[in-house]
């Protein structure tokens, strides 16, 4: 049996995005020490396009092999022309409202 681990960036009041849905507001809290920790312990939690831009795409996955994200989170990537935000992981998109087009590299659940 596989282990399920819930790993998420969330504000202290439990939100995973800004009130307007924007997700980049968390990045302003990532200092050098925390970034070094992420690189060492959880490199797979960094999106593929970010890993590539930072020269970290050579890092192996240490703890996770699959990501499940909501449709709204997935669409944030699509809005910047990233069709496979976690290409280094198996990707699933949870949606109750819209199907994910089959040409995109994530499966809908």
């Amino acid at each position: 049996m596989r282990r399920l681990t819930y790993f998420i960036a969330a504000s202290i009041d439990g939100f995973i995005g800004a009130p307007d849905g924007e997700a980049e507001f968390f990045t302003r809290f990532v200092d050098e020490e925390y970034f070094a920790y992420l690189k060492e312990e959880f490199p797979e939690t960094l999106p593929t396009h970010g890993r590539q831009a930072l020269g970290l795409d050579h890092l192996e996955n240490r703890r996770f092999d699959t990501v499940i994200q909501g449709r709204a989170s997935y669409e944030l990537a699509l809005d910047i022309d990233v069709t496979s935000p976690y290409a280094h992981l198996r990707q699933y998109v949870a949606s109750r409202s819209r199907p994910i087009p089959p040409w995109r590299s994530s499966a809908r659940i």
Side-chain angles (χ1 to χ4, degrees):
M1 177 180 295
R2 294 178 53 137
R3 182 188 328 197
L4 176 65
T5 302
Y6 184 68
F7 181 92
I8 192 165
S11 62
I12 197 157
D13 55 358
F15 288 95
I16 61 172
D20 64 355
E22 190 265 326
E24 302 235 348
F25 80 102
F26 279 117
T27 59
R28 70 176 172 244
F29 301 110
V30 178
D31 61 11
E32 268 186 55
E33 182 181 0
Y34 186 63
F35 183 65
Y37 171 75
L38 283 177
K39 282 192 319 189
E40 179 67 28
E41 297 296 325
F42 300 98
E44 62 274 31
T45 64
L46 302 169
T48 301
H49 63 285
R51 290 165 57 114
Q52 292 168 342
L54 296 167
L56 304 175
D57 51 341
H58 66 284
L59 297 176
E60 292 188 27
N61 298 343
R62 295 183 40 95
R63 301 177 193 274
F64 309 115
D65 64 2
T66 304
V67 62
I68 301 172
Q69 57 188 327
R71 180 199 44 81
S73 296
Y74 183 61
E75 285 186 354
L76 290 172
L78 296 178
D79 289 346
I80 59 170
D81 296 323
V82 175
T83 58
S84 187
Y86 293 92
H88 54 286
L89 299 170
R90 190 173 331 146
Q91 301 172 91
Y92 294 94
V93 177
S95 176
R96 288 181 284 170
S97 59
R98 278 198 262 175
I100 304 302
W103 57 267
R104 300 211 169 119
S105 60
S106 293
R108 179 177 181 252
I109 57 172

